[in-house]
Coordinates of all heavy atoms in Angstrom, one line a residue:
M23 N 2.6 12.6 -0.4 CA 1.7 11.6 0.1 C 2.1 11.2 1.6 O 3.2 10.9 1.8 CB 1.8 10.3 -0.7 CG 0.6 9.4 -0.6 SD 0.8 7.9 -1.5 CE 0.8 8.5 -3.2
P24 N 1.2 11.4 2.5 CA 1.5 11.1 3.9 C 1.8 9.7 4.2 O 1.2 8.8 3.5 CB 0.3 11.6 4.7 CG -0.8 11.6 3.7 CD -0.2 11.8 2.3
V25 N 2.6 9.4 5.2 CA 2.9 8.1 5.7 C 2.2 7.9 7.0 O 2.4 8.7 7.9 CB 4.4 7.8 5.7 CG1 4.6 6.4 6.4 CG2 5.0 7.9 4.4
Y26 N 1.5 6.9 7.2 CA 0.8 6.6 8.5 C 1.4 5.4 9.1 O 1.8 4.5 8.5 CB -0.7 6.4 8.3 CG -1.4 7.7 7.8 CD1 -1.7 7.9 6.4 CD2 -1.8 8.7 8.7 CE1 -2.3 9.0 6.0 CE2 -2.4 9.8 8.2 CZ -2.6 10.0 6.9 OH -3.2 11.1 6.5
R27 N 1.4 5.5 10.5 CA 1.9 4.4 11.3 C 0.7 3.5 11.7 O -0.3 4.0 12.2 CB 2.6 5.0 12.5 CG 3.2 3.9 13.4 CD 4.6 3.5 12.8 NE 5.2 2.5 13.7 CZ 6.2 1.7 13.3 NH1 6.7 1.9 12.1 NH2 6.7 0.8 14.0
Y28 N 0.9 2.2 11.5 CA -0.1 1.3 12.0 C 0.5 0.4 13.0 O 1.6 0.0 12.9 CB -0.6 0.4 10.8 CG -1.6 1.2 9.9 CD1 -1.1 1.9 8.8 CD2 -2.9 1.1 10.1 CE1 -1.9 2.6 8.0 CE2 -3.8 1.8 9.2 CZ -3.3 2.5 8.2 OH -4.1 3.2 7.3
T29 N -0.3 0.1 14.0 CA 0.1 -0.9 15.0 C -0.8 -2.1 15.1 O -2.1 -1.9 15.0 CB 0.2 -0.3 16.4 OG1 -1.0 0.2 16.8 CG2 1.3 0.8 16.4
P30 N -0.3 -3.3 15.1 CA -1.2 -4.5 15.2 C -1.8 -4.6 16.5 O -1.4 -4.1 17.5 CB -0.2 -5.6 14.9 CG 1.1 -5.1 15.4 CD 1.1 -3.7 15.1
A31 N -2.9 -5.4 16.6 CA -3.6 -5.6 17.8 C -2.8 -6.3 18.9 O -2.8 -6.0 20.0 CB -4.9 -6.4 17.6
N32 N -2.0 -7.2 18.4 CA -1.1 -8.0 19.3 C 0.3 -7.6 19.1 O 0.8 -7.9 18.0 CB -1.3 -9.5 19.2 CG -2.7 -9.9 19.6 OD1 -3.2 -9.6 20.7 ND2 -3.4 -10.5 18.7
I33 N 0.9 -7.0 20.0 CA 2.3 -6.5 19.9 C 3.2 -7.4 20.8 O 2.8 -7.6 22.0 CB 2.5 -5.0 20.2 CG1 1.6 -4.2 19.3 CG2 3.9 -4.6 20.2 CD1 1.6 -2.7 19.7
P34 N 4.4 -7.8 20.4 CA 4.9 -7.7 19.0 C 4.4 -8.7 18.1 O 4.1 -9.8 18.5 CB 6.4 -7.9 19.3 CG 6.5 -8.8 20.4 CD 5.3 -8.5 21.3
C35 N 4.2 -8.3 16.9 CA 3.8 -9.2 15.8 C 5.1 -9.9 15.2 O 6.1 -9.3 15.1 CB 3.1 -8.4 14.7 SG 2.7 -9.4 13.3
K36 N 5.0 -11.2 15.0 CA 6.1 -11.9 14.4 C 6.5 -11.4 13.1 O 7.7 -11.4 12.7 CB 5.8 -13.4 14.3 CG 5.8 -14.1 15.6 CD 5.3 -15.6 15.4 CE 5.2 -16.3 16.7 NZ 4.4 -17.5 16.6
L37 N 5.6 -10.8 12.3 CA 5.9 -10.4 11.0 C 6.2 -8.9 10.9 O 7.0 -8.4 10.1 CB 4.8 -10.8 10.0 CG 4.7 -12.3 9.8 CD1 3.5 -12.6 8.8 CD2 6.0 -12.9 9.2
C38 N 5.5 -8.1 11.6 CA 5.6 -6.7 11.5 C 6.0 -6.0 12.8 O 6.0 -4.7 12.9 CB 4.3 -6.0 10.9 SG 2.9 -6.3 12.0
G39 N 6.4 -6.7 13.8 CA 7.0 -6.1 15.0 C 5.9 -5.3 15.7 O 4.8 -5.8 16.0
D40 N 6.3 -4.1 16.0 CA 5.4 -3.2 16.8 C 4.6 -2.3 15.9 O 3.9 -1.4 16.3 CB 6.1 -2.4 17.9 CG 7.1 -1.4 17.3 OD1 7.3 -1.5 16.0 OD2 7.6 -0.6 18.0
G41 N 4.7 -2.6 14.6 CA 3.9 -1.8 13.6 C 4.6 -1.6 12.3 O 5.7 -2.1 12.1
F42 N 4.0 -0.8 11.5 CA 4.6 -0.6 10.2 C 4.1 0.8 9.7 O 3.1 1.3 10.1 CB 4.3 -1.7 9.2 CG 2.8 -1.9 9.0 CD1 2.1 -1.3 7.9 CD2 2.1 -2.7 9.8 CE1 0.8 -1.5 7.8 CE2 0.7 -2.9 9.6 CZ 0.1 -2.3 8.6
D43 N 4.9 1.3 8.7 CA 4.5 2.6 8.1 C 3.8 2.3 6.7 O 4.3 1.4 6.0 CB 5.7 3.5 7.9 CG 6.3 3.9 9.2 OD1 5.6 4.2 10.1 OD2 7.5 3.9 9.2
H44 N 2.7 3.0 6.5 CA 2.0 2.7 5.2 C 1.7 4.1 4.6 O 1.2 5.0 5.2 CB 0.7 2.0 5.5 CG -0.2 1.8 4.3 ND1 0.2 0.9 3.3 CD2 -1.3 2.3 3.9 CE1 -0.7 0.9 2.4 NE2 -1.7 1.7 2.7
Q45 N 2.2 4.2 3.3 CA 2.0 5.4 2.6 C 0.6 5.4 1.9 O 0.3 4.4 1.2 CB 3.1 5.6 1.6 CG 3.2 7.0 1.0 CD 4.3 7.1 0.0 OE1 4.4 6.4 -1.0 NE2 5.3 7.9 0.3
Q46 N -0.2 6.4 2.1 CA -1.5 6.5 1.5 C -1.9 7.9 1.3 O -1.5 8.8 2.0 CB -2.5 5.7 2.3 CG -2.7 6.3 3.7 CD -3.7 5.5 4.5 OE1 -3.4 4.5 5.0 NE2 -4.9 6.1 4.7
N47 N -2.8 8.1 0.3 CA -3.4 9.4 0.2 C -4.3 9.7 1.3 O -4.9 8.8 1.9 CB -4.2 9.4 -1.2 CG -3.3 9.4 -2.4 OD1 -2.4 10.2 -2.5 ND2 -3.5 8.5 -3.3
A48 N -4.5 11.0 1.6 CA -5.4 11.4 2.7 C -6.8 10.8 2.6 O -7.4 10.5 3.5 CB -5.4 12.9 2.8
G49 N -7.3 10.6 1.3 CA -8.6 10.2 1.2 C -8.8 8.6 1.1 O -9.9 8.1 1.0
D50 N -7.6 8.0 1.1 CA -7.7 6.5 1.0 C -8.3 5.9 2.3 O -8.1 6.5 3.4 CB -6.3 5.9 0.8 CG -5.8 6.1 -0.6 OD1 -6.6 6.6 -1.5 OD2 -4.7 5.8 -0.9
P51 N -8.9 4.8 2.2 CA -9.5 4.1 3.4 C -8.4 3.7 4.3 O -7.3 3.3 3.9 CB -10.3 3.0 2.8 CG -9.7 2.7 1.5 CD -9.2 4.0 1.0
T52 N -8.6 3.7 5.6 CA -7.7 3.3 6.6 C -7.6 1.8 6.5 O -8.5 1.0 6.3 CB -8.2 3.7 8.0 OG1 -8.4 5.1 8.0 CG2 -7.2 3.2 9.1
L53 N -6.3 1.3 6.6 CA -6.1 -0.2 6.6 C -6.8 -0.8 7.9 O -6.7 -0.2 9.0 CB -4.6 -0.5 6.7 CG -3.8 -0.3 5.4 CD1 -2.4 -0.8 5.7 CD2 -4.4 -1.0 4.2
V54 N -7.4 -1.9 7.7 CA -7.9 -2.6 8.9 C -7.2 -3.9 9.2 O -7.4 -4.4 10.3 CB -9.4 -2.9 8.7 CG1 -10.2 -1.6 8.6 CG2 -9.6 -3.7 7.4
A55 N -6.4 -4.3 8.3 CA -5.6 -5.6 8.6 C -4.2 -5.4 8.1 O -3.9 -4.7 7.1 CB -6.3 -6.7 7.9
C56 N -3.3 -6.0 8.8 CA -1.9 -6.0 8.4 C -1.7 -6.7 7.1 O -2.1 -7.8 6.9 CB -1.0 -6.6 9.5 SG 0.7 -6.8 9.1
P57 N -1.0 -6.0 6.1 CA -0.8 -6.7 4.8 C 0.2 -7.9 4.9 O 0.2 -8.7 4.0 CB -0.3 -5.6 3.9 CG 0.2 -4.6 4.8 CD -0.5 -4.7 6.1
K58 N 0.9 -7.9 6.0 CA 1.9 -9.0 6.1 C 1.3 -10.2 6.9 O 1.5 -11.3 6.4 CB 3.1 -8.5 6.9 CG 4.0 -7.6 6.1 CD 5.2 -7.1 7.0 CE 6.0 -6.1 6.3 NZ 7.0 -5.4 7.2
C59 N 0.6 -10.0 8.0 CA 0.2 -11.1 8.8 C -1.3 -11.2 8.8 O -1.9 -12.2 9.3 CB 0.7 -11.0 10.2 SG 0.1 -9.5 11.1
G60 N -2.1 -10.1 8.4 CA -3.5 -10.2 8.4 C -4.2 -9.9 9.6 O -5.5 -9.9 9.6
Q61 N -3.5 -9.7 10.7 CA -4.3 -9.4 11.9 C -4.7 -7.9 12.0 O -4.3 -7.1 11.2 CB -3.4 -9.7 13.2 CG -2.3 -8.6 13.4 CD -1.7 -8.8 14.8 OE1 -2.4 -8.7 15.8 NE2 -0.4 -9.1 14.9
A62 N -5.7 -7.7 12.8 CA -6.3 -6.3 12.9 C -5.2 -5.3 13.3 O -4.4 -5.5 14.1 CB -7.4 -6.3 13.9
V63 N -5.3 -4.2 12.6 CA -4.4 -3.1 12.9 C -5.2 -1.8 13.2 O -6.3 -1.7 12.7 CB -3.3 -2.8 11.8 CG1 -2.4 -4.0 11.7 CG2 -4.0 -2.5 10.5
S64 N -4.6 -0.9 13.9 CA -5.2 0.4 14.1 C -4.2 1.5 13.7 O -3.0 1.3 13.9 CB -5.7 0.6 15.5 OG -4.6 0.4 16.4
R65 N -4.6 2.6 13.1 CA -3.8 3.6 12.7 C -3.4 4.5 13.9 O -4.3 4.9 14.7 CB -4.4 4.5 11.6 CG -3.5 5.3 10.8 CD -4.1 5.9 9.6 NE -4.8 7.2 10.0 CZ -5.5 7.9 9.1 NH1 -5.6 7.6 7.9 NH2 -6.0 9.0 9.5
V66 N -2.1 4.8 14.0 CA -1.7 5.7 15.0 C -1.9 7.1 14.6 O -1.5 7.5 13.5 CB -0.2 5.5 15.3 CG1 0.3 6.4 16.4 CG2 0.0 4.0 15.7
L67 N -2.6 7.9 15.4 CA -3.0 9.2 14.9 C -1.8 10.2 15.0 O -0.9 10.1 15.7 CB -4.1 9.8 15.9 CG -5.4 9.0 15.8 CD1 -6.4 9.6 16.8 CD2 -6.0 9.1 14.4
A68 N -1.9 11.2 14.1 CA -1.0 12.4 14.1 C 0.4 12.1 14.0 O 1.2 12.6 14.8 CB -1.3 13.2 15.4
Q69 N 0.8 11.2 13.1 CA 2.2 11.0 12.9 C 2.6 10.8 11.4 O 3.3 9.9 11.0 CB 2.7 9.7 13.7 CG 4.2 9.7 13.9 CD 4.7 8.5 14.6 OE1 4.1 7.4 14.4 NE2 5.7 8.6 15.3
P70 N 2.1 11.8 10.6 CA 2.5 11.7 9.2 C 4.0 12.1 9.2 O 4.5 13.1 9.8 CB 1.7 12.8 8.5 CG 0.9 13.4 9.6 CD 1.2 12.9 10.9
V71 N 4.8 11.3 8.4 CA 6.2 11.5 8.5 C 6.7 12.6 7.6 O 7.6 13.4 8.0 CB 6.9 10.2 8.1 CG1 8.4 10.4 8.0 CG2 6.6 9.1 9.1
N72 N 6.1 12.7 6.4 CA 6.7 13.7 5.5 C 5.8 14.8 5.2 O 5.9 15.5 4.2 CB 7.1 13.0 4.1 CG 5.9 12.3 3.5 OD1 4.8 12.4 4.1 ND2 6.1 11.7 2.4
T73 N 4.8 15.1 6.1 CA 4.0 16.2 5.9 C 3.9 17.0 7.2 O 2.9 16.9 7.9 CB 2.6 15.8 5.4 OG1 2.1 14.8 6.3 CG2 2.6 15.3 4.0
P74 N 4.9 17.7 7.6 CA 5.0 18.4 8.9 C 3.8 19.3 9.1 O 3.3 19.5 10.3 CB 6.2 19.2 8.8 CG 7.1 18.5 7.8 CD 6.1 18.0 6.8
K75 N 3.2 19.9 8.1 CA 2.1 20.8 8.3 C 0.9 20.1 8.8 O 0.0 20.7 9.4 CB 1.8 21.5 7.0 CG 1.2 20.6 5.9 CD 1.0 21.5 4.6 CE 0.2 20.7 3.6 NZ 0.9 19.7 2.9
L76 N 0.8 18.8 8.7 CA -0.3 18.1 9.2 C -0.1 17.7 10.7 O -1.0 17.2 11.3 CB -0.6 16.8 8.4 CG -1.1 17.0 7.0 CD1 -1.3 15.7 6.3 CD2 -2.4 17.9 7.0
L77 N 1.1 17.9 11.2 CA 1.3 17.6 12.6 C 0.4 18.4 13.5 O 0.0 17.9 14.6 CB 2.8 17.8 13.0 CG 3.8 16.8 12.5 CD1 5.2 17.2 12.7 CD2 3.5 15.4 13.1
K78 N 0.1 19.6 13.1 CA -0.8 20.4 13.9 C -1.9 20.9 13.0 O -1.8 22.0 12.4 CB 0.0 21.6 14.5 CG -0.8 22.4 15.6 CD 0.0 23.6 16.1 CE -0.8 24.4 17.0 NZ -0.3 25.7 17.3
P79 N -2.9 20.1 12.9 CA -4.0 20.4 12.0 C -4.7 21.7 12.4 O -5.0 21.8 13.6 CB -4.9 19.2 12.0 CG -4.5 18.5 13.2 CD -3.1 18.8 13.6
L80 N -5.0 22.5 11.4 CA -5.8 23.7 11.7 C -7.3 23.4 11.5 O -7.6 22.7 10.6 CB -5.4 24.8 10.7 CG -4.1 25.6 11.1 CD1 -3.8 26.5 9.9 CD2 -4.3 26.4 12.3
S81 N -8.1 23.9 12.3 CA -9.5 23.8 12.1 C -9.8 24.8 10.9 O -9.1 25.7 10.7 CB -10.3 24.1 13.3 OG -10.3 25.5 13.6
I82 N -10.9 24.5 10.3 CA -11.3 25.3 9.1 C -11.6 26.7 9.6 O -11.2 27.7 9.0 CB -12.6 24.7 8.5 CG1 -12.2 23.4 7.7 CG2 -13.2 25.7 7.5 CD1 -13.3 22.6 7.2
S83 N -12.3 26.8 10.8 CA -12.6 28.2 11.2 C -11.4 29.0 11.5 O -11.3 30.2 11.2 CB -13.6 28.1 12.4 OG -13.0 27.4 13.4
S84 N -10.4 28.4 12.2 CA -9.2 29.1 12.5 C -8.4 29.5 11.3 O -7.8 30.5 11.2 CB -8.4 28.4 13.6 OG -7.9 27.2 13.0
A85 N -8.4 28.6 10.3 CA -7.7 28.9 9.1 C -8.4 30.1 8.4 O -7.7 31.0 7.8 CB -7.8 27.7 8.1
K86 N -9.7 30.1 8.4 CA -10.4 31.3 7.8 C -10.1 32.6 8.5 O -9.9 33.6 7.9 CB -11.9 31.0 7.7 CG -12.3 30.0 6.6 CD -13.8 29.8 6.6 CE -14.2 28.9 5.5 NZ -15.6 28.5 5.6
Q87 N -10.1 32.4 9.9 CA -9.8 33.6 10.7 C -8.4 34.2 10.3 O -8.1 35.4 10.4 CB -9.8 33.3 12.2 CG -11.2 33.3 12.7 CD -11.3 32.8 14.2 OE1 -10.2 32.7 14.8 NE2 -12.5 32.6 14.7
A88 N -7.5 33.3 10.0 CA -6.1 33.6 9.7 C -6.0 34.1 8.3 O -4.9 34.5 7.8 CB -5.1 32.5 9.9
G89 N -7.1 34.1 7.5 CA -7.1 34.7 6.2 C -6.8 33.7 5.1 O -6.6 34.1 4.0
F90 N -6.8 32.4 5.4 CA -6.6 31.4 4.4 C -8.0 31.1 3.7 O -9.0 31.1 4.4 CB -6.0 30.2 5.0 CG -4.6 30.3 5.4 CD1 -4.3 30.5 6.7 CD2 -3.6 30.4 4.5 CE1 -3.0 30.7 7.2 CE2 -2.3 30.5 4.9 CZ -1.9 30.7 6.2
S91 N -7.9 30.7 2.5 CA -9.0 30.1 1.8 C -8.9 28.6 2.1 O -7.9 28.0 1.9 CB -9.0 30.4 0.3 OG -9.1 31.7 0.1
V92 N -10.0 28.0 2.5 CA -10.1 26.6 2.8 C -10.6 25.9 1.6 O -11.7 26.2 1.1 CB -10.9 26.3 4.0 CG1 -10.9 24.8 4.3 CG2 -10.3 27.1 5.2
L93 N -9.8 25.0 1.0 CA -10.2 24.3 -0.1 C -10.6 22.8 0.3 O -9.9 22.2 1.1 CB -9.1 24.2 -1.2 CG -8.7 25.6 -1.8 CD1 -7.6 25.4 -2.8 CD2 -9.9 26.3 -2.4
K94 N -11.6 22.4 -0.3 CA -12.1 21.0 0.0 C -11.9 20.2 -1.3 O -12.4 20.6 -2.3 CB -13.5 21.0 0.5 CG -14.0 19.7 0.9 CD -15.5 19.8 1.3 CE -16.0 18.4 1.7 NZ -17.5 18.5 1.9
R95 N -11.3 19.0 -1.2 CA -11.2 18.2 -2.3 C -12.5 17.4 -2.6 O -13.0 16.7 -1.7 CB -10.0 17.2 -2.1 CG -9.7 16.5 -3.4 CD -8.3 15.8 -3.3 NE -7.9 15.4 -4.6 CZ -6.7 14.8 -4.9 NH1 -5.9 14.7 -3.9 NH2 -6.4 14.4 -6.1
T96 N -13.0 17.5 -3.8 CA -14.2 16.8 -4.1 C -13.9 15.4 -4.6 O -12.7 15.1 -4.9 CB -15.0 17.5 -5.1 OG1 -14.2 17.6 -6.3 CG2 -15.3 18.9 -4.6
S97 N -14.9 14.6 -4.7 CA -14.7 13.2 -5.1 C -14.1 13.0 -6.5 O -13.5 12.0 -6.8 CB -16.0 12.4 -5.0 OG -17.0 13.0 -5.7
N98 N -14.3 14.0 -7.4 CA -13.8 13.9 -8.7 C -12.4 14.5 -8.9 O -11.9 14.7 -10.0 CB -14.7 14.5 -9.7 CG -15.0 16.0 -9.5 OD1 -14.3 16.6 -8.7 ND2 -16.1 16.5 -10.1
G99 N -11.8 14.9 -7.7 CA -10.4 15.3 -7.8 C -10.2 16.8 -7.9 O -9.1 17.3 -7.8
D100 N -11.3 17.6 -8.0 CA -11.2 19.0 -8.0 C -11.2 19.5 -6.6 O -11.4 18.8 -5.7 CB -12.4 19.6 -8.8 CG -12.3 19.3 -10.3 OD1 -11.2 19.1 -10.8 OD2 -13.4 19.2 -10.9
F101 N -10.9 20.8 -6.5 CA -11.0 21.5 -5.2 C -12.1 22.5 -5.3 O -12.3 23.2 -6.2 CB -9.6 22.2 -4.9 CG -8.6 21.2 -4.7 CD1 -7.8 20.7 -5.7 CD2 -8.4 20.7 -3.4 CE1 -6.7 19.8 -5.5 CE2 -7.3 19.7 -3.1 CZ -6.5 19.3 -4.2
E102 N -12.8 22.6 -4.2 CA -13.8 23.7 -4.1 C -13.6 24.5 -2.8 O -13.2 23.9 -1.8 CB -15.2 23.1 -4.2 CG -15.6 22.2 -3.0 CD -17.0 21.6 -3.1 OE1 -17.5 21.7 -4.3 OE2 -17.5 21.2 -2.1
K103 N -14.0 25.7 -2.9 CA -13.9 26.6 -1.7 C -15.0 26.3 -0.8 O -16.1 26.1 -1.3 CB -13.9 28.1 -2.2 CG -13.0 29.0 -1.4 CD -12.9 30.3 -2.1 CE -12.1 31.3 -1.4 NZ -12.0 32.5 -2.1
Q104 N -14.8 26.2 0.4 CA -15.9 26.0 1.4 C -15.9 27.1 2.4 O -15.1 27.9 2.5 CB -15.7 24.6 2.0 CG -14.5 24.5 2.9 CD -14.5 23.1 3.5 OE1 -15.2 22.2 3.2 NE2 -13.6 22.9 4.5
Ligands
LIG201 ZN1 1.7 -8.1 11.3

């Protein structure tokens, strides 16, 4: 499960400093408010901590060119080829 970095609108925040890490599934909605202080937060892009393969996302077309099958997760949890 990737960990995303969030930064509050006003830095530093008394409760969460310059931001916090939040673990979430890729399909989960992005947090819009700090769970500690409630102020608006924005997700920092491209910094998943424990999923290095996502550091350099491949486009679907380049993945297909490289011979990979691209699977898409559907809403019911299955994967389908696209
Ligand atoms: Zn905060």
Side-chain angles (χ1 to χ4, degrees):
M23 198 185 294
V25 175
Y26 293 97
R27 183 82 183 165
Y28 285 87
T29 58
N32 295 305
I33 298 173
C35 172
K36 283 175 185 164
L37 294 178
C38 59
D40 64 352
F42 58 93
D43 295 320
H44 178 69
Q45 192 178 64
Q46 63 182 73
N47 288 309
D50 284 353
T52 302
L53 287 184
V54 294
C56 174
K58 289 180 185 170
C59 66
Q61 76 166 300
V63 293
S64 53
R65 199 171 83 180
V66 180
L67 295 177
Q69 200 183 30
V71 174
N72 59 0
T73 52
K75 64 182 191 289
L76 291 180
L77 285 173
K78 191 181 176 192
L80 279 172
S81 73
I82 290 170
S83 58
S84 64
K86 283 180 177 173
Q87 279 174 11
F90 290 102
S91 295
V92 179
L93 298 180
K94 182 182 178 186
R95 190 163 193 179
T96 62
S97 55
N98 60 16
D100 291 331
F101 291 91
E102 66 181 16
K103 218 169 179 178
Q104 63 178 11

